[in-house]
Amino acid sequence: DSTTSATFCLYCKSPAIIKNRFAGRFKPKSVIPFQLTKEQAKIIYKKWMNRRILAPDEFKQKEEIEKVTGIYAPFWLFDCKVEGSISGDAKQTTTWRSGDYNYIKTRYFHFARNGHASYNRIPVDASKKLDDKFMHMIEPFDYTAMTDFSMKYMSGFMAEKYDVEASEAEVVLKQRAEEYLEGRLRGTVDGYSTYTVNNKLFSLSDIASSYSMLPIYLMINKFKGKDHVFIVNGQTGKVVGDTPLSLLKQITFFLGVFIIAMIIGFLGGALFV
C-alpha cells in the first residue's frame, strides 16, 4: 500500500525494497537493527504466553502463530526542554493512644514545586496502522545500538514509511514530556500522609525531531474468529499484546483470592480473641 517501503515478492518471496519511499523527507536519519531472529521472537512470545495464567489453555497451547512479521516501524525521536510547576494541598496525620483514648492530629499544608528538564529521543509512533498503546508499551529501546540509516538493514524485513507528520506527533510528545516532568516533581512531595495536586502548568521549548526506524515483530494469533495482536521488541524481546481471557479461570482466580482473604481475616481475628 502507500506506506509500505520494504516487503517481499508475492511469487518468489524475495525481499523487495521500494527505494523512492526512502528518499527525500522520507529518508530516516537512524535505525536500530534487529537483534532477534523470527524464531527467537516466537520462543520469547511462547514463554511470555505461558505466564498468562488467565488465558485459555487452548490458546496458550497453540503450536503455531498465524503470522509473524519483522517490521521496521517508523518513529519520530524528539528532543525538547520542559518547564513546569505543580501545586496543591497535603495532610500530615499522626495517631497515638493515651489511656483509654485514641488521638488523631491532622496538620494541613499547601505545597508548590517547579522545575525544568531536558529530554532526548522521546519516541513517538509515526504510523497510523500500528496501535499507539502497544507501541508505547513496547519501549524502551537501547539507543546505544542506533546507527546511521542504510537500506541494507531493510532487506528481509517489512518496513513502513511514516504517515504521521512530526507536527502531529508533537501532541503525543507534549503529553509524554509533561508526564515525565510531573512524575519527577511529584517525587519531591514527601513527608505527608496524603496530597492532592490541584494545579499544574507546563511548557515545552527547543523541540527538535528526527526520523528513525525501530525493529518490532508483529504477531497475529487467531482465536475463536478474532485476531489477537502481539508485538515483540525486535531488539530487547519485550512482549505486549491482546491476550484473550478465560471466564472460568477468572471466576476461579477471584474465588481463590476471596477464600484466602476470608481465611486470613478469620485467623487474624481469632488471634485477638
Side-chain angles (χ1 to χ4, degrees):
D1 58 26
S2 62
T3 59
T4 301
S5 301
T7 184
F8 298 88
C9 174
L10 292 174
Y11 301 100
C12 67
K13 302 301 181 182
S14 296
I17 297 174
I18 307 173
K19 293 183 178 180
N20 63 355
R21 294 186 180 176
F22 288 113
R25 66 190 182 96
F26 290 109
K27 181 179 180 180
K29 179 181 179 181
S30 56
V31 61
I32 294 180
F34 274 87
Q35 298 297 311
L36 300 174
T37 65
K38 182 183 293 187
E39 289 306 312
Q40 288 174 321
K42 290 169 71 173
I43 292 170
I44 290 170
Y45 160 78
K46 289 179 179 178
K47 288 181 178 178
W48 178 85
M49 181 56 66
N50 286 335
R51 297 194 294 269
R52 307 301 106 181
I53 61 173
L54 298 181
D57 289 337
E58 58 267 38
F59 183 82
K60 293 168 65 173
Q61 292 167 2
K62 289 184 67 175
E63 291 297 324
E64 290 299 324
I65 303 163
E66 299 289 338
K67 186 177 181 182
V68 183
T69 308
I71 303 174
Y72 276 104
F75 276 82
W76 291 109
L77 303 183
F78 286 97
D79 299 339
C80 66
K81 294 180 179 179
V82 193
E83 291 190 32
S85 63
I86 62 173
S87 62
D89 300 311
K91 292 192 296 186
Q92 189 180 72
T93 303
T94 307
T95 62
W96 71 94
R97 184 177 179 85
S98 180
D100 295 331
Y101 297 95
N102 291 323
Y103 294 90
I104 300 176
K105 178 182 179 181
T106 303
R107 302 175 66 191
Y108 296 88
F109 301 88
H110 177 77
F111 72 88
R113 300 288 188 273
N114 62 75
H116 59 86
S118 296
Y119 295 107
N120 296 319
R121 293 174 175 172
I122 295 178
V124 177
D125 176 20
S127 172
K128 294 178 181 177
K129 291 181 184 177
L130 300 170
D131 189 316
D132 286 351
K133 178 183 70 174
F134 286 168
M135 298 305 284
H136 186 163
M137 293 169 63
I138 206 67
E139 299 170 19
F141 289 89
D142 179 6
Y143 290 137
T144 60
M146 183 169 282
T147 187
D148 291 341
F149 175 79
S150 171
M151 282 193 287
K152 69 180 181 181
Y153 295 111
M154 302 296 107
S155 182
F157 297 98
M158 296 282 287
E160 292 287 320
K161 71 176 183 179
Y162 71 82
D163 55 1
V164 176
E165 297 291 340
S167 56
E168 298 176 74
E170 282 187 17
V171 176
V172 179
L173 162 71
K174 185 175 185 294
Q175 178 183 352
R176 299 191 68 178
E178 290 178 358
E179 287 176 355
Y180 295 157
L181 184 56
E182 181 178 352
R184 294 185 65 183
L185 295 177
R186 282 178 177 267
T188 68
V189 183
D190 54 12
Y192 304 111
S193 303
T194 61
Y195 73 89
T196 303
V197 174
N198 297 325
N199 299 287
K200 51 187 177 182
L201 181 65
F202 298 94
S203 63
L204 274 66
S205 61
D206 297 347
I207 299 174
S209 63
S210 63
Y211 178 34
S212 185
M213 307 294 280
L214 306 184
I216 66 167
Y217 282 102
L218 182 67
M219 300 183 177
I220 306 295
N221 214 336
K222 190 181 292 292
F223 182 68
K224 293 186 176 179
K226 179 182 177 182
D227 287 342
H228 292 269
V229 177
F230 300 88
I231 296 177
V232 178
N233 186 313
Q235 179 194 35
T236 68
K238 185 177 180 180
V239 185
V240 299
D242 171 25
T243 307
L245 299 176
S246 165
L247 180 60
L248 178 60
K249 284 190 174 185
Q250 291 180 78
I251 293 172
T252 303
F253 176 80
F254 289 115
L255 279 176
V257 171
F258 176 75
I259 292 170
I260 292 171
M262 289 289 289
I263 293 172
I264 292 173
F266 176 77
L267 294 177
L271 293 175
F272 291 99
V273 172

